């Protein structure tokens, strides 16, 4: 625009600035008219349009609705607001800002800020972005956390660094209540910072259970208050390779702030080789030639209502060789039936956990032993199906017996195979077995397992992510809407780039690159 012999006053500058902003926004809107919503895992009901709203990190804020049961001072949500502000605006100094900006108002029906998430916590939420206002509503703070994650994934940047979010309406909830990740910290010790970083990554994929397989045959890193010798003699190193009581509290607190339960596993009577180093009378001595050849406080430390008792891969050879064990079996009327002895042991442990108001989870081996000896009556445990082969046949068998199931068999991510082969973990159909609706309601979810034989902090993250996210969508989203690998791939590829930008070393899915490839990594 050419003007001559005109004095420029402030009103003129404001006019030209206004025109420039209008032209700029029109160009941006045209550039993003084909905006693609890449939320992972996919919400159950989502509609969006090309209508855009700018976000200014200098004025954007989360706040509480007037009628929300939760208000400022809720440490869990106040911390979440700060955390997600940084995730939404990782480099907010760039870009230019417009005059009208969007804010996000949250509202809950219940004030459960001081609670821990549990097996029936609601994670349902509704999110709407329209007319310059974002609104996030949920029954509980746990639903708000899931909605915050979704909102953070809706925000995007243009080439100049400005932030936008499109008009969007979402109604969302998890398909399965139990969505877990197992880490094995016995075969290789994982530093606390690696566990905390895993919890961050879990929250980005809406996982809600951290299954901590904390001890096993190779080492006993859990530092017990009652039996300190267990870690002093059973850990790889009694000072550097242990989880102190403070470490455990830190993990539990960090998980709670992200809506994640911590499920401890102390696997017995098998997988207890490291226990005997610090408690000489704990393990059954094996006998050769008539002579020996060698070789809880959990309910108060871990607040979750579930505890994993293990019970898998029990080797009966030591029991069989021990004359005291054989004499006890004769006294109990078990004869030489060692599965009956194992069932007797597990039932006693289950009774102890029940007396402490805990629900027991066991590996499927325990179910198989009880099935063999006909001892399923009044045996109320959750069964985790982990063996390969026809795992859905086992799911059907367990649910037919009236027991709840957690599925792990198809999601052993530590097994050999190319790290980019995520589709095998995506195309899993947990309820694709013949059975009644009642049986299928007994499948409460599943979990990804990362066993530690060949995994430590150096390779944990690229082996786990983003393949674990494929299982996360299967456990959260509607199966019919997420049955296509081809349609899911662009969203997962975009989500993997989000993980990289958030500092999670997620492995590549194919040839290509991310716009912010190495920030934070």
């Amino acid at each position: 625009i050419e003007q001559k012999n005109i004095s420029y006053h402030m009103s003129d500058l404001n006019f030209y600035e206004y025109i420039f902003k209008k032209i700029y926004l029109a160009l941006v809107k045209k550039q993003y008219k084909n905006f693609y919503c890449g939320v992972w895992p996919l919400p159950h009901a989502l509609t969006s349009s090309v209508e855009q709203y700018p976000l200014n990190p200098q004025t954007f804020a989360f706040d509480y609705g007037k009628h929300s049961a939760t208000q400022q001072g809720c440490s869990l949500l106040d911390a979440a607001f700060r955390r997600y502000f940084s995730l939404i605006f990782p480099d907010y100094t760039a870009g230019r800002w417009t005059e009208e900006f969007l804010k996000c108002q949250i509202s809950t029906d219940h004030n459960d800020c001081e609670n821990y998430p549990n097996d029936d916590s609601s994670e349902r939420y509704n999110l709407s972005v329209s007319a310059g206002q974002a609104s996030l509503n949920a029954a509980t703070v746990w639903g708000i956390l899931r909605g915050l994650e979704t909102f953070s994934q809706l925000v995007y940047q243009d080439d100049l660094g400005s932030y936008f979010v499109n008009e969007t309406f979402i109604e969302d909830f998890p398909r399965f209540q139990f969505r877990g990740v197992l880490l094995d910290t016995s075969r290789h010790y994982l530093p606390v910072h690696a566990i905390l970083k895993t919890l961050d990554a879990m929250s980005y994929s809406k996982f809600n259970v951290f299954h901590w397989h904390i001890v096993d045959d190779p080492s006993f890193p859990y530092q017990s208050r009652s039996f300190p010798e267990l870690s002093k003699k059973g850990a790889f190193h009694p000072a550097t390779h242990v989880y102190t009581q403070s470490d455990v509290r830190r993990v539990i607190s960090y998980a709670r702030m992200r809506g994640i339960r911590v499920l401890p596993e102390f696997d017995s009577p098998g997988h207890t080789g490291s226990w005997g180093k610090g408690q000489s009378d704990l393990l059954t001595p094996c006998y050769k030639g008539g002579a020996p050849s060698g070789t809880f406080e959990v309910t108060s430390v871990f607040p979750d209502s579930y505890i994993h008792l293990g019970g898998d891969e029990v080797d009966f050879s030591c029991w069989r060789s021990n004359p005291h064990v054989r004499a006890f079996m004769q006294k109990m009327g078990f004869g030489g039936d060692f599965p009956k002895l194992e069932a007797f042991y597990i039932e006693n442990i289950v009774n102890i956990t029940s007396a402490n108001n805990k629900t027991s989870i066991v590996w499927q081996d325990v179910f198989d032993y009880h099935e063999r000896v006909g001892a399923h009556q009044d045996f109320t445990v959750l069964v985790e199906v982990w063996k390969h082969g026809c795992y859905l046949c086992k799911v059907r068998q367990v649910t037919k017996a009236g027991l709840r199931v957690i599925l792990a068999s198809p999601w052993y991510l530590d097994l050999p195979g190319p790290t980019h082969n995520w589709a095998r973990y995506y195309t899993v159909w947990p309820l694709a077995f013949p059975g009644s609706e009642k049986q299928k309601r007994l499948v409460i979810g599943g979990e990804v397992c990362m066993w530690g034989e060949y995994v430590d902090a150096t390779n944990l993250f690229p082996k786990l992510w983003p393949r674990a996210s494929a299982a996360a969508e299967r456990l959260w989203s509607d199966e019919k809407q997420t049955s296509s690998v081809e349609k899911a791939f662009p969203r997962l590829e975009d989500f993997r780039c989000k993980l990289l930008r958030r500092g999670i070393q997620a492995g590549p899915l194919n040839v290509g690159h991310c716009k912010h490839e190495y920030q934070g990594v």
Side-chain angles (χ1 to χ4, degrees), residues 287-327:
Y287 279 69
K288 292 181 181 178
S293 63
T295 301
F296 235 85
E297 66 197 53
V298 174
T299 57
S300 63
V301 173
F302 293 91
D304 198 76
S305 60
Y306 287 3
I307 182 170
H308 207 303
L309 302 179
D312 63 315
E313 299 179 320
V314 178
D315 183 355
F316 296 140
S317 58
C318 279
W319 288 354
R320 191 175 287 113
S321 71
N322 190 302
H324 302 293
V325 171
R326 294 199 305 270

Side-chain angles (χ1 to χ4, degrees), residues 54-104:
L55 282 78
N56 180 357
Q58 296 170 349
T59 60
F60 177 85
F62 296 103
D63 59 15
Y64 295 91
K66 181 178 179 181
H67 301 292
S68 173
T70 308
Q71 293 293 332
Q72 188 172 0
C74 171
S75 59
L76 187 144
L77 288 186
D78 290 346
F81 294 164
R82 292 190 295 270
R83 190 167 66 248
Y84 274 101
F85 185 93
S86 298
L87 293 175
I88 292 169
F89 304 113
D91 51 18
Y92 68 85
T93 55
R96 56 176 77 239
W97 317 116
T98 56
E99 292 180 346
E100 297 181 5
F101 306 106
L102 180 140
K103 295 186 178 182
C104 184

Side-chain angles (χ1 to χ4, degrees), residues 10 33 57 76-77 96 98 121 166 176 192 207 223 262 281-282 360 387 420 458 466 473 481:
M10 184 60 67
K33 66 180 180 179
L76 187 144
L77 288 186
R96 56 176 77 239
T98 56
S121 293
N166 281 42
F176 292 102
V192 171
F207 281 109
Q223 196 173 77
V262 177
D281 59 345
L282 190 62
S360 300
K387 294 184 179 180
H420 64 269
T458 65
E473 180 152 290
Q481 296 182 51

Side-chain angles (χ1 to χ4, degrees), residues 397-416:
Q397 185 184 8
V398 175
T399 56
K400 193 173 182 179
L403 299 176
R404 289 178 290 172
V405 169
I406 298 165
L407 180 62
S409 301
W411 293 310
Y412 268 46
L413 267 59
D414 60 294
L415 293 180

Side-chain angles (χ1 to χ4, degrees), residues 3 29 90 96-97 175 181 185 187 201 234 263 290-291 308 351 375 389 428 433 449 459 475 480 521:
Q3 294 189 5
K29 187 172 291 187
R96 56 176 77 239
W97 317 116
R175 182 186 181 201
V181 171
T185 59
R187 291 173 176 84
L263 167 65
H308 207 303
N351 289 338
V428 173
F433 61 91
C449 296
N459 64 346
L475 293 168
K480 292 180 181 178
V521 175

Side-chain angles (χ1 to χ4, degrees), residues 107 131 133 142 184 197 227 294 296 375 378 399 429 436 447:
S107 180
Q133 174 72 45
W142 319 118
D184 170 10
K197 192 173 179 179
F227 303 98
F296 235 85
D378 301 321
T399 56
W429 321 114
S436 66
E447 71 175 13

Side-chain angles (χ1 to χ4, degrees), residues 399-474:
T399 56
K400 193 173 182 179
L403 299 176
R404 289 178 290 172
V405 169
I406 298 165
L407 180 62
S409 301
W411 293 310
Y412 268 46
L413 267 59
D414 60 294
L415 293 180
T419 57
H420 64 269
N421 188 10
W422 63 275
R424 63 184 287 191
Y425 308 111
Y426 193 73
T427 52
V428 173
W429 321 114
L431 303 184
F433 61 91
S436 66
E437 286 303 312
K438 181 180 179 181
Q439 281 180 257
K440 296 187 179 186
R441 285 195 297 270
L442 291 172
V443 181
I444 67 167
E447 71 175 13
V448 166
C449 296
M450 184 58 74
W451 297 101
E453 283 88 348
Y454 306 103
V455 178
D456 64 9
T458 65
N459 64 346
L460 170 64
F461 294 97
K463 284 185 73 69
L464 191 54
W465 310 103
R467 295 185 303 160
S469 302
E473 180 152 290
R474 180 57 55 238

Side-chain angles (χ1 to χ4, degrees), residues 311 342 362-373 376 379 381 383 394 397-403:
E342 199 273 349
V362 295
W363 296 107
Q364 73 179 73
D365 311 51
V366 173
F367 174 86
D368 294 338
Y369 293 140
H370 279 69
E371 185 79 6
R372 196 179 309 167
V373 300
H376 277 310
F379 189 56
V381 297
V383 177
K394 183 58 65 176
Q397 185 184 8
V398 175
T399 56
K400 193 173 182 179
L403 299 176

